[in-house]
Amino acid sequence: MKKIIALLLTTILLSALTFSFNAQAVFETAYDLNQMWAPSNTYPDYVCGVWSNDGSQYNLTIAVLDTEEGNRGKEEILELIEDDSSVTFTYGEYSRNYLTDVQDELIKLYKTNEEHGLISTALNEYENRIALGILKEYKGNEKTELLLSDLKAQYGDIFTVSYCDPPVEEVLITAPVGEAVTFDTKPHLSTIILIILLLTSVAFMVIRKRKAYVMKTNTGKSLTAVSPAEKEIEHAIKNTDIDYPQALDKKVMDEIDNK
């Protein structure tokens, strides 16, 4: 008898622990939940679409079917996420899975696109529709209109149509074979002089910036102070040896004589 009671108590305890585990939120936000669905395209059948309200990942809208299944799905989502404020719900007409299945069916039409001009399909989750891309030159084409009529008869009002330009192929620009761009590795006189002037200018600006340092006193007054490092900078500039070619002096004089 004691064994039976112990077994019953164990069963009840395990059931309680299992229920407690299932009741805990698995995902912190709706974005985290969507990150489980999206990569493998494993959305529940009650989901119609998912999109961001403000461009961020923390404020998503999830559209569900306006059915009993869809409303149960809303409750399921709220149980799965910890931060309920990260999701807003709305209703859609078609399951997202249904729309993507229709997209897969339309792929076979690309083989005959020269007849009707259909070159692309895209899932518009916000409008809960499939956007058909048709070349502009086929607008009003008899076979194109017939195709659109057949699609509507077969699948219902799940399409929007946009007429577009043909896709532009990317062109890779390459240099002619055998031609190479070379650079003169020897420093020119003007380059060396420019580097020296640049270093001097940078040092001067650093010193000026140090002099503009503003110090606030405990009385509330603002005083212009000389930076403690100013003397160190001046000393470093005066005592820095610039490494330049030995023939630089002669080149400078030759340049002056040629002026």
Side-chain angles (χ1 to χ4, degrees), residues 143-159:
K143 290 187 177 181
T144 303
E145 295 300 323
L146 180 61
L147 173 65
L148 294 176
S149 178
D150 289 343
L151 290 176
K152 184 174 182 180
Q154 183 176 357
Y155 297 109
D157 189 24
I158 67 172
F159 301 105

Side-chain angles (χ1 to χ4, degrees), residues 19-229:
F19 176 79
S20 176
F21 174 77
N22 290 334
Q24 291 179 355
V26 180
F27 303 94
E28 184 176 351
T29 66
Y31 171 80
D32 299 315
L33 173 60
N34 190 55
Q35 285 299 96
M36 181 193 72
W37 290 338
S40 54
N41 199 29
T42 53
Y43 288 87
D45 286 334
Y46 59 76
V47 172
C48 301
V50 181
W51 61 88
S52 173
N53 295 320
D54 54 10
S56 74
Q57 64 188 33
Y58 304 107
N59 188 11
L60 300 185
T61 286
I62 298 180
V64 298
L65 292 171
D66 189 10
T67 62
E68 183 178 348
E69 179 189 7
N71 287 308
R72 284 201 306 268
K74 288 169 58 177
E75 298 301 322
E76 179 180 316
I77 291 171
L78 291 175
E79 289 177 0
L80 288 173
I81 63 176
E82 183 177 347
D83 185 2
D84 292 351
S85 66
S86 65
V87 63
T88 301
F89 290 103
T90 188
Y91 291 108
E93 189 175 356
Y94 303 101
S95 168
R96 188 184 190 280
N97 290 337
Y98 171 68
L99 295 180
T100 54
D101 287 343
V102 173
Q103 274 189 285
D104 293 339
E105 287 292 321
L106 297 183
I107 291 177
K108 60 187 178 184
L109 295 175
Y110 295 159
K111 298 178 181 179
T112 57
N113 69 77
E114 292 183 356
E115 297 179 6
H116 45 68
L118 177 65
I119 60 170
S120 68
T121 68
L123 180 62
N124 185 337
E125 301 195 48
Y126 183 76
E127 295 185 5
N128 196 213
R129 294 290 188 272
I130 296 175
L132 304 178
I134 299 176
L135 294 173
K136 288 181 178 179
E137 59 192 85
Y138 286 85
K139 189 173 184 179
N141 181 283
E142 183 178 350
K143 290 187 177 181
T144 303
E145 295 300 323
L146 180 61
L147 173 65
L148 294 176
S149 178
D150 289 343
L151 290 176
K152 184 174 182 180
Q154 183 176 357
Y155 297 109
D157 189 24
I158 67 172
F159 301 105
T160 61
V161 180
S162 61
Y163 294 92
C164 55
D165 294 317
V168 179
E169 295 183 2
E170 294 184 359
V171 179
L172 179 62
I173 300 176
T174 58
V177 177
E179 295 185 9
V181 180
T182 59
F183 298 92
D184 186 2
T185 57
K186 295 181 180 180
H188 292 286
L189 175 62
S190 57
T191 303
I192 296 173
I193 295 175
L194 180 61
I195 293 174
I196 295 173
L197 292 175
L198 180 61
L199 291 174
T200 305
S201 299
V202 170
F204 177 75
M205 286 187 291
V206 170
I207 294 175
R208 291 295 301 274
K209 184 177 181 180
R210 297 275 188 177
K211 288 183 178 179
Y213 177 76
V214 176
M215 179 176 61
K216 286 256 186 189
T217 67
N218 59 354
T219 61
K221 295 182 180 180
S222 297
L223 302 177
T224 301
V226 178
S227 170

Side-chain angles (χ1 to χ4, degrees), residues 227-238:
S227 170
E230 181 178 334
K231 292 298 181 181
E232 296 177 8
I233 295 174
E234 292 178 354
H235 181 270
I237 294 173
K238 291 178 181 179

